Amino acid sequence: MRWLSRSYLTLVYLLLYVPIVVLVVFSFNDSRTGYNWGGLSLRWYDSLFNNHAMVQAMWNSLWLALTAATVSTIIGALTALALHRYRFRGKRVLNGMLFVVMMSPEIVLAISLLGLFLLLGLKLGYVSLLLAHVTFCLPFVVITVMARLSGFDERLPEAARDLGASDFTMTRTVLLPVIMPALMAGWLLGFTLSMDDVVVSTFVSGPSYEILPLRIYSMVRVGLKPEVNALGTLLLVFSLVMLMLSQRILSRSKQ
Amino acid sequence: MMRSIKQQPFRAAVLVLVWGWLLFLVLAPNILVVGASVMTRNPSTFISLPLNLDAYRQLFNPLYLDVFLHSLYMAALTTLICLLIGYPFAWALSRVEKRRQMLLIFLLIVPFWTNSLVRTYALKLILATNGLLNSALMSLGVIDEPAQLLYTEGAVIVGLVYLLLPFMILPLYSVFEDLRQDVLLASHDLGAGRFATFKNVVVPLTLPGVLAGVMLVLLPAMGLFFVPDILGGSRNLLVGNVIKNQFLDARNWPFGAAASIVLTLTMALLMFAHRLSKRRLGEEGA
Amino acid sequence: MKKLALAGILALGLTGCSSDDPQVLNLYNWSEYMPQEVLTRFEDETGIKVVYTTYDSNEAMYARLKLLDESAAYDLAVPSTYYVSKMRNEGLLLPIDQSKISGFDQLDPELTGLDIDPSNQYSVPYLWGTTGIGVDTADIAGDPVTAWADLWDERFKGKVNLTNDMREVFHMSLRVLGYPGNSTDPQQIEEAYEKLTELMPSVRTFNSDAPRMPFLEGEADVGMIWNGEAVMGKESMEALEYVYPEEGVIAWLDSFVIPKNAKNPEAAHAFISFVLQPEIAALISEDIGYATPVLSARELLDDEVAGDRASYPTPEDMVNAEFQTDIGDEALQVYAKYWEKLKSGL
């Protein structure tokens, strides 16, 4: 049983990483058209490092995804807790609104949010992007946390309350540890969604804050350059290095 | 229960924040969408008065029903495949030692941080007639002629599954993580076989995760317009493509808005009907 | 090694946040559609910082500029052919002062004074190209392909690529039927649609993100392709030929325009002049792979580039060629209706 589940995990990981391996290999391909193998070369890394606008866009994207995922995790978790624990009027309306966000085609979300920001006179840039990204990440967090909460033993918070804990203390000490895996899952989904969004961002961003997906989609005019493979590779290496560092720190702090 | 109604600062703060956000960033823009859907299209200002229901009338066209059903079919198939791959995956993942789980989760999601357009192109390199998969199969002698994989419905499904799999796995993982080993042992001790334990204990306990995963895959799958464009040769229109084209190419905003509203209502109705039929079945069973 | 890469990324990230120059030019353009070297040299020469923002379709660019209206902050945009006339007619553009543009007289007379902007009051050509037929000569047998009508040939069943562009696909079909490519006659558009339904079983893919790719992938043997893509594709696939169809190629022209609410039109004029210098224009053409309208720049080009008929067609190649024009809203709805029908296979 154990080896079966291990080999299944390995198989799925392999399948997930196949396209990524292709991407990494082709980032070292000398050919410009990105199809045939034209020999080993670092030219795309070189041209990437000279493409300040692209690197800047990547940093903007990372920062936006980091903040959007964090804010949407906080608000999403609170929303899920409110839906789960509190009795208040309009629960269905709240649920309905989250559903509408999930279901709205991106272009509708994009144009309606831009319409709103323009009505309010909000300057387009980081703030408008953050508001939009948090909004479309929100239902993903709420749904994930709700799933976790629905199997939760209701007597625990009751007991905590009976022991005199305030609502806030109870949430922090009893509920938070319970929903932790869901928070992590929700944060990761939010980060992924935000890193990848292009339609909504096209409309609500301004010249002061351009993000990576826009630049990549816009390349279709002259063809996707293998530079994006180099960028993908660097991002992958960067994530993996960060991952290993955090693992080392975690295991050391435990010792 | 009475206690939670008592006014508390934390509760009030939470409700104000949540309601504030949703009213401001979801309700308000959606009022704009509803407004746009009942206005008249105008070539120079996009929309203008007078109010009318023309946009909704235009939706009564067998073409759109067809597109909707086709999208729903593709999305449902994607969801099913994600579930079949994701369910055992999440289970297996939750049984790895705790220390390793974090690492494995991150390894799962890291590939998804590379732009999906770039990854879709990598998939193309694999699936094309001159692509890696065909070359590999041919050199192994499995096939003689390259198989037509790219620009087929199958390629679109592969693309959708590849892009959406973590949206199934992560919510599932978060419920499996809670599934305690002692519950399974207890079931086993009570004489339940493996299958009975699975059916009567594991499935009910993880059902919320399944439902969450289905939502997170099914709904976005209807709107991922660039996957059919790139992997399907854009020969099948999906709902997402039609609505995007109406806004940008045809510049018929009232129609695009109306289509989006009807889509949302239809999906909500489908889910509601599904829940209702489930409940009825449950009552009969009890 | 990993640490080095990390340090490199960090260093680059920091260089992005430098001093705030008072003089800024907000350029709204396709990404990678202006070489970094040109931007750097412009910045060094004039001290004006270029902020380069991108869009992924003319439609999105148009919708945004229109929606943003007064809050738009772009000084220069690069719409394709008929979007110039559309934006001009809707009052979205500022007139360009030709006296402030040096090098205007160097432009190809064939590419100025077009219907989209008869006296170039609002636009200055940047790059131009054509949409013709790409042929994988290694994979097809029989007579050479010479016309759009050849796409309907039985031998190409399942091997045809079309661009994913409503206007271009209908343009092609209208030309095959002998109608003008910019027809606004519903009858003719319907006929073009009927003609296209006959082609659909042959169509492998609609591709507008990189029309060379279906050829390289081995998925398509013949079909619509942009000339620049054909040139690029030839680098890795010698057999890929670019054919000017008898019925006429579809010509397109990307032009600089200054949006109505530009904050710094002076800088926009300076930038246009800078780009029209023969040396810069030649650099751009070589880097991007499309033809420059600056005549004097052509002499500076590599012989291989200047002599490539795909990029720089002969007058005979351009017989029957048509630029797309703004067909107006009514006709657009007719096109859109048939396009949806075509793509959903009903």
Side-chain angles (χ1 to χ4, degrees):
Chain A
M1 240 358 229
R2 202 185 168 90
W3 68 265
L4 190 70
S5 84
R6 284 275 155 101
S7 33
Y8 181 69
L9 283 178
T10 317
L11 179 73
V12 174
Y13 276 110
L14 278 179
L15 284 177
L16 279 181
Y17 274 85
V18 166
I20 301 296
V21 171
V22 170
L23 187 151
V24 171
V25 170
F26 273 81
S27 75
F28 296 102
N29 183 5
D30 192 53
S31 158
R32 174 162 87 123
T33 50
Y35 200 81
N36 294 12
W37 185 255
L40 207 64
S41 147
L42 285 174
R43 65 186 278 206
W44 303 117
Y45 290 88
D46 191 47
S47 72
L48 177 67
F49 285 122
N50 288 315
N51 194 340
H52 300 304
M54 179 110 96
V55 176
Q56 181 61 41
M58 186 191 77
W59 283 110
N60 286 348
S61 263
L62 280 174
W63 176 243
L64 175 66
L66 205 74
T67 46
T70 308
V71 175
S72 64
T73 304
I74 295 169
I75 299 181
L78 293 175
T79 310
L81 286 171
L83 282 169
H84 184 72
R85 300 201 43 244
Y86 299 150
R87 273 188 163 187
F88 57 92
R89 249 180 244 174
K91 252 189 191 184
R92 288 212 168 159
V93 179
L94 211 100
N95 262 319
M97 285 199 281
L98 291 169
F99 183 80
V100 168
V101 178
M102 287 279 307
M103 210 48 239
S104 290
E106 284 178 301
I107 185 77
V108 176
L109 214 59
I111 291 183
S112 62
L113 282 171
L114 176 62
L116 178 76
F117 295 154
L118 288 175
L119 279 179
L120 296 171
L122 186 73
K123 195 166 175 294
L124 296 180
Y126 172 70
V127 176
S128 60
L129 278 166
L130 182 69
L131 289 174
H133 280 220
V134 170
T135 302
F136 68 68
C137 292
L138 208 55
F140 288 81
V141 179
V142 176
I143 290 173
T144 309
V145 176
M146 285 290 273
R148 174 83 184 188
L149 278 172
S150 66
F152 176 61
D153 189 344
E154 268 317 307
R155 282 165 305 183
L156 264 163
E158 286 298 317
R161 298 290 298 276
D162 290 343
L163 291 171
S166 77
D167 201 23
F168 177 71
T169 316
M170 192 281 299
T171 305
R172 191 170 56 84
T173 55
V174 180
L175 288 177
L176 196 63
V178 170
I179 59 170
M180 211 51 198
L183 289 186
M184 191 180 80
W187 189 91
L188 288 173
L189 290 179
F191 188 88
T192 311
L193 282 168
S194 172
M195 279 294 281
D196 224 23
D197 173 73
V198 60
V199 179
V200 176
S201 308
T202 304
F203 279 84
V204 301
S205 71
S208 62
Y209 204 87
E210 199 178 38
I211 57 173
L212 191 61
L214 301 192
R215 284 203 94 83
I216 291 180
Y217 268 76
S218 170
M219 272 187 204
V220 296
R221 189 77 173 95
V222 281
L224 223 51
K225 275 196 185 171
E227 263 177 39
V228 299
N229 292 342
L231 188 70
T233 306
L234 287 182
L235 200 63
L236 185 76
V237 171
F238 180 67
S239 321
L240 292 179
V241 169
M242 293 302 266
L243 186 58
M244 276 187 284
L245 281 178
S246 64
Q247 283 289 311
R248 188 157 299 172
I249 292 166
L250 270 180
S251 64
R252 202 168 285 168
S253 68
K254 266 177 195 154
Q255 283 165 12
Chain B
M1 268 301 149
M2 283 308 289
R3 232 174 295 152
S4 60
I5 297 170
K6 217 190 289 169
Q7 283 310 309
Q8 287 224 0
F10 179 63
R11 177 181 187 272
V14 167
L15 287 179
V16 166
L17 177 67
V18 168
W19 274 109
W21 193 282
L22 289 175
L23 290 178
F24 169 57
L25 283 152
V26 179
L27 191 66
N30 274 291
I31 290 173
L32 297 182
V33 175
V34 174
S37 77
V38 293
M39 290 182 63
T40 310
R41 71 177 294 273
N42 182 318
S44 59
T45 55
F46 296 122
I47 44 174
S48 65
L49 292 168
L51 301 181
N52 63 67
L53 292 174
D54 277 358
Y56 290 91
R57 231 164 274 143
Q58 277 180 62
L59 275 169
F60 287 105
N61 179 339
L63 183 127
Y64 298 118
L65 182 65
D66 231 57
V67 170
F68 172 74
L69 290 177
H70 183 65
S71 310
L72 192 60
Y73 159 75
M74 300 285 272
L77 195 57
T78 304
T79 312
L80 186 68
I81 296 173
C82 281
L83 185 62
L84 289 177
I85 300 175
Y87 196 83
F89 185 87
W91 196 357
L93 195 62
S94 70
R95 297 184 54 183
V96 175
E97 313 100 271
K98 277 267 171 315
R99 211 159 41 84
R100 289 272 173 80
Q101 280 182 20
M102 266 286 265
L103 183 73
L104 287 176
I105 288 276
F106 269 98
L107 280 179
L108 173 77
I109 202 86
V110 161
F112 292 85
W113 293 350
T114 301
N115 188 279
S116 57
L117 189 71
V118 180
R119 276 181 297 132
T120 314
Y121 270 90
L123 265 184
K124 260 183 117 176
L125 282 169
I126 298 172
L127 295 176
T129 300
N130 296 343
L132 300 169
L133 185 61
N134 267 317
S135 322
L137 288 178
M138 271 162 57
S139 62
L140 288 173
V142 182
I143 48 173
D144 304 321
E145 283 271 289
Q148 204 177 82
L149 305 167
L150 197 56
Y151 307 133
T152 59
E153 222 173 74
V156 179
I157 298 282
V158 168
L160 288 173
V161 170
Y162 180 55
L163 293 182
L164 292 168
L165 193 59
F167 293 85
M168 178 63 81
I169 290 178
L170 286 178
L172 277 173
Y173 163 76
S174 79
V175 293
F176 266 117
E177 211 266 345
D178 197 30
L179 186 70
R180 296 206 314 267
Q181 213 52 43
D182 48 352
V183 180
L184 300 183
L185 283 176
S187 163
H188 196 71
D189 290 345
L190 291 171
R194 269 204 183 131
F195 182 71
T197 304
F198 177 70
K199 187 171 151 263
N200 299 324
V201 180
V202 180
V203 170
L205 281 177
T206 54
L207 199 61
V210 174
L211 291 178
V214 166
M215 286 267 277
L216 297 192
V217 174
L218 185 74
L219 303 186
M222 308 268 296
L224 276 178
F225 59 90
F226 66 91
V227 179
D229 268 359
I230 295 173
L231 293 173
S234 86
R235 296 204 42 165
N236 324 258
L237 281 180
L238 295 188
V239 173
N241 304 70
V242 170
I243 294 178
K244 184 167 177 265
N245 289 348
Q246 284 298 336
F247 270 98
L248 293 181
D249 298 346
R251 286 189 283 280
N252 191 344
W253 287 25
F255 181 74
S260 161
I261 291 167
V262 171
L263 172 70
T264 309
L265 290 178
T266 312
M267 291 303 288
L269 215 65
L270 281 179
M271 295 214 145
F272 186 67
H274 176 77
R275 206 168 288 175
L276 220 60
S277 68
K278 265 273 170 67
R279 201 170 294 166
R280 195 157 302 155
L281 273 178
E283 275 164 14
E284 273 166 24
Chain C
M1 189 56 204
K2 277 170 189 162
K3 268 188 187 154
L4 264 178
L6 191 69
I9 299 175
L10 284 172
L12 274 167
L14 292 174
T15 54
C17 6
S18 50
S19 65
D20 47 334
D21 204 302
Q23 274 268 50
V24 168
L25 172 78
N26 276 304
L27 172 61
Y28 200 28
N29 194 3
W30 302 85
S31 107
E32 309 299 306
Y33 206 41
M34 180 68 71
Q36 181 66 45
E37 191 187 335
V38 174
L39 300 177
T40 316
R41 281 172 64 172
F42 177 74
E43 286 179 351
D44 289 348
E45 221 164 273
T46 61
I48 301 171
K49 186 176 156 49
V50 181
V51 176
Y52 191 131
T53 324
T54 59
Y55 51 84
D56 64 354
S57 68
N58 278 299
E59 288 75 20
M61 179 269 303
Y62 166 81
R64 273 203 91 217
L65 283 180
K66 190 132 194 171
L67 277 174
L68 290 176
D69 199 35
E70 261 132 66
S71 43
Y74 301 103
D75 300 309
L76 207 52
V78 192
S80 303
T81 331
Y82 60 91
Y83 272 87
V84 171
S85 53
K86 190 168 176 53
M87 291 167 79
R88 189 191 56 157
N89 292 336
E90 293 174 16
L92 291 173
L93 305 179
L94 277 186
I96 291 178
D97 186 347
Q98 281 185 19
S99 66
K100 288 185 197 158
I101 307 283
S102 48
F104 194 86
D105 50 330
Q106 289 294 315
L107 290 166
D108 187 342
E110 298 282 329
L111 298 167
T112 51
L114 297 172
D115 287 343
I116 52 166
D117 190 15
S119 52
N120 282 83
Q121 217 188 332
Y122 293 93
S123 66
V124 176
Y126 170 50
L127 287 173
W128 73 286
T130 55
T131 305
I133 305 178
V135 184
D136 177 358
T137 50
D139 255 14
I140 67 162
D143 297 333
V145 175
T146 57
W148 289 124
D150 291 338
L151 300 186
W152 273 259
D153 201 325
E154 270 300 306
R155 62 190 157 133
F156 301 134
K157 218 166 188 89
K159 287 291 183 188
V160 173
N161 176 59
L162 299 183
T163 54
N164 193 16
D165 179 320
M166 173 176 86
R167 287 291 308 280
E168 281 193 356
V169 170
F170 275 92
H171 188 127
M172 186 263 302
S173 181
L174 284 162
R175 295 300 298 162
V176 169
L177 293 167
Y179 298 135
N182 294 304
S183 175
T184 54
D185 177 350
Q187 186 65 38
Q188 294 178 350
I189 301 168
E190 187 179 348
E191 276 179 56
Y193 160 74
E194 297 293 345
K195 184 80 184 162
L196 285 170
T197 54
E198 292 165 27
L199 183 61
M200 280 306 276
S202 293
V203 177
R204 192 64 212 275
T205 169
F206 289 87
N207 189 315
S208 268
D209 46 87
R212 71 173 188 279
M213 290 309 280
F215 293 92
L216 299 184
E217 289 158 356
E219 301 285 340
D221 288 340
V222 65
M224 300 171 81
I225 192 169
W226 308 324
N227 57 345
E229 284 276 314
V231 172
M232 265 223 267
K234 210 174 164 63
E235 280 177 25
S236 30
M237 187 175 166
E238 199 41 51
L240 185 62
E241 291 297 337
Y242 186 71
V243 175
Y244 288 88
E246 284 161 13
E247 299 96 333
V249 282
I250 305 166
W252 51 263
L253 172 70
D254 289 346
S255 311
F256 286 117
V257 298
I258 305 180
K260 156 177 82 168
N261 293 302
K263 303 280 181 292
N264 198 350
E266 286 304 315
H269 281 89
F271 190 79
I272 297 174
S273 298
F274 184 80
V275 165
L276 290 187
Q277 297 173 74
E279 186 209 348
I280 301 290
L283 191 156
I284 291 171
S285 176
E286 283 189 357
D287 186 271
I288 311 273
Y290 283 102
T292 173
V294 181
L295 284 176
S296 45
R298 294 187 193 170
E299 290 145 28
L300 303 173
L301 291 172
D302 248 20
D303 283 347
E304 206 183 314
V305 178
D308 189 341
R309 251 183 68 205
S311 302
Y312 290 97
T314 62
E316 295 84 72
D317 292 333
M318 294 303 281
V319 173
N320 288 329
E322 262 185 296
F323 279 95
Q324 289 184 352
T325 55
D326 186 14
I327 47 169
D329 187 61
E330 229 168 281
L332 180 74
Q333 296 308 308
V334 181
Y335 277 101
K337 182 179 85 183
Y338 286 118
W339 180 242
E340 271 182 352
K341 273 174 89 163
L342 188 72
K343 296 262 287 250
S344 61
L346 273 181

